[in-house]
Amino acid sequence: MRRSVLHRVAFSVAGMLLGIATVALSPLASAQVPCTGPDGLAGFNCCQLIGANLPSFTPVSLPGLGVCWTNCQPQTLNALRVDWTPPIPVQCSEYVTALTITDINSTLPILKGSLVLDYTRTWTELDPSNNIIQVWRFAAKADLSPVLVGLPPVCPEPSCLQPFGNQNTAFFYGYVDYATNCSSGITQNVLVLYHACDFFIHNPGLSSAPGSYHPKNSYAIVAPHSTLQPFNVSKAPSPAGPLIGEGTRDLPNLPGGPCRATDGIVSGSLTFLGGACLCIPAGAPKQHTFRMFSATTNCPISSGLQGNFQALNIGFPTLLPWFYLTTTNIGVWTNPNVYPGQERAWVDEGLFLRQTGCAGDVVSVEYGGSTKNGWQILHPVLLTACIDIADNYTAPLFGPYPFPILGNVMQTDRVTFTFTP
């Protein structure tokens, strides 16, 4: 995507300020990640192979919150520590890190596993002191396993895991942010991961982990959460409006190799359709909201028309669990002065049809996150909301469709990212 003049000025200022010495880290901050400017993935030709300009991302330790819902209402909140190791690149823009979730009350680790981070994009923000903040966002997914098998589960351990269920891992999905103050060099982080109720995760015939384990229960891991930056578990309608720029990008799946250039979004929209609780199911409480999500992209397909994508509704709720883009309410941070400010978080999932110039016509199952508000995004148009998703299953439009299509971490083939006012 062609970045605005304001974006380029902001990144230039960030570069000039980089030499300022790093100050002591706050409890919500990780080690220094330099501001590096644009990620270099805009490209000029469709399907172009291109190298990324990304920093080396650091290990992180954050105070966090475990959230457990029953019938779409929060039932248990539990203090956590959330740690992950330095993310290691495994292919262009995809990283793997070791995630550990520790229960604060017992000081014992309760969940661990490999966290897959699919880089989507970077942008700049202004904090309340007018410092430039560069944000790198990732769609995230993980298969997490219990550490202390045989002990009663501690929130947010899903009951599908051993010993109460028969599953070795539980599939979590959401997003991760790295956000660097370009004056001080301090980096702060956000992590939101979610494990849905059986309807989405353990659906027989669709899932690699079928069964009836927690039909009315779902689980989340959120960080940060502390007295300095509290997180409030709550509900609100998910963002909607016209799409403002950004795009979609294929991953060539070449270990250690280049990326595909971003295919810019030409036009599109997020249309709010309503909400419900799909774990009961019932019309309320509206933990799940639904959005039509569609766009045209710059690169032409074989017919000569523009590329495009759209979220689908196929056989809901008897065949597939998604009503277009299905979005789950998580909550909102409450301190405007600490990253990410008063930002609201959701996680997203859905079935998509994509017509692309590089990969052809495909269907895919995609996961990620949406956010709204927080600190001011530097852009000529007032932007308050972001959506960043990555696929976890892809098949040709006319098949074959190998099963299962959900239930655990699978290969990522593309990411999609955009703003809306």
Side-chain angles (χ1 to χ4, degrees), residues 19-391:
I20 297 176
T22 302
V23 299
L25 298 178
S26 77
L28 298 180
S30 63
Q32 181 175 349
V33 173
C35 292
T36 59
D39 57 24
L41 295 173
F44 298 98
N45 300 311
C46 294
C47 305
Q48 176 183 356
L49 292 174
I50 193 169
N53 175 38
L54 299 175
S56 297
F57 297 102
T58 59
V60 176
S61 182
L62 289 173
L65 181 68
V67 187
C68 295
W69 289 267
T70 299
N71 295 333
C72 296
Q73 296 280 26
Q75 182 182 50
T76 304
L77 305 178
N78 186 44
L80 306 172
R81 192 180 76 243
V82 179
D83 298 279
W84 65 91
T85 58
I88 298 172
V90 293
Q91 62 172 321
C92 182
S93 77
E94 184 171 79
Y95 298 77
V96 173
T97 175
L99 177 69
T100 303
I101 309 301
T102 300
D103 172 48
I104 290 298
N105 292 324
S106 66
T107 71
L108 296 174
I110 55 175
L111 291 168
K112 66 178 181 179
S114 293
L115 174 65
V116 177
L117 299 177
D118 288 304
Y119 169 76
T120 57
R121 42 133 168 219
T122 187
W123 66 80
T124 50
E125 301 179 349
L126 283 180
D127 73 8
S129 299
N130 289 323
N131 294 303
I132 294 173
I133 309 297
Q134 184 169 358
V135 179
W136 291 268
R137 175 158 290 181
F138 302 80
K141 54 190 177 182
D143 288 331
L144 300 184
S145 58
V147 177
L148 301 171
V149 176
L151 297 181
V154 176
C155 181
E157 289 183 87
S159 60
C160 52
L161 291 173
Q162 296 180 346
F164 294 91
N166 60 5
Q167 298 298 320
N168 295 320
T169 63
F171 178 59
F172 282 78
Y173 51 95
Y175 72 95
V176 163
D177 284 347
Y178 278 77
T180 295
N181 183 315
C182 297
S183 296
S184 68
I186 291 176
T187 294
Q188 298 183 86
N189 300 86
V190 161
L191 176 143
V192 176
L193 293 175
Y194 177 70
H195 181 79
C197 59
D198 288 352
F199 180 67
F200 297 99
I201 295 295
H202 301 297
N203 202 318
L206 303 178
S207 176
S208 57
S212 179
Y213 303 107
H214 45 87
K216 298 182 179 181
N217 300 93
S218 58
Y219 312 83
I221 302 161
V222 178
H225 169 72
S226 68
T227 55
L228 186 60
Q229 180 53 293
F231 186 81
N232 177 31
V233 180
S234 56
K235 294 181 283 292
S238 45
L243 305 186
I244 308 297
E246 305 282 37
T248 185
R249 186 173 62 250
D250 291 343
L251 278 63
N253 290 305
L254 302 172
C259 299
R260 293 276 188 209
T262 296
D263 183 6
I265 290 174
V266 176
S267 63
S269 63
L270 276 162
T271 304
F272 182 73
L273 300 174
C277 173
L278 296 182
C279 297
I280 300 177
K286 293 178 171 45
Q287 185 182 15
H288 305 107
T289 59
F290 316 115
R291 293 180 286 175
M292 180 73 75
F293 184 26
S294 61
T296 58
T297 60
N298 180 64
C299 293
I301 57 177
S302 57
S303 66
L305 299 176
Q306 287 178 300
N308 61 84
F309 64 82
Q310 58 182 308
L312 300 176
N313 167 28
I314 297 180
F316 171 86
T318 57
L319 179 61
L320 295 177
W322 305 290
F323 189 72
Y324 299 101
L325 184 69
T326 300
T327 299
T328 301
N329 276 282
I330 304 298
V332 62
W333 286 275
T334 58
N335 186 346
N337 298 309
V338 175
Y339 185 77
Q342 292 175 314
E343 186 169 85
R344 183 166 287 277
W346 298 262
V347 295
D348 298 302
E349 57 188 287
L351 180 72
F352 280 77
L353 165 63
R354 293 183 177 271
Q355 294 184 291
T356 74
C358 303
D361 298 348
V362 299
V363 291
S364 56
V365 179
E366 313 204 8
Y367 299 93
S370 293
T371 58
K372 186 174 183 180
N373 299 326
W375 291 346
Q376 178 187 347
I377 296 172
L378 290 176
H379 196 283
V381 179
L382 178 61
L383 301 174
T384 62
C386 309
I387 178 170
D388 294 76
I389 57 177
D391 71 343

Side-chain angles (χ1 to χ4, degrees), residues 387-410:
I387 178 170
D388 294 76
I389 57 177
D391 71 343
N392 192 53
Y393 172 91
T394 296
L397 175 58
F398 298 107
Y401 311 112
F403 284 83
I405 68 170
L406 54 83
N408 65 282
V409 172
M410 292 185 273

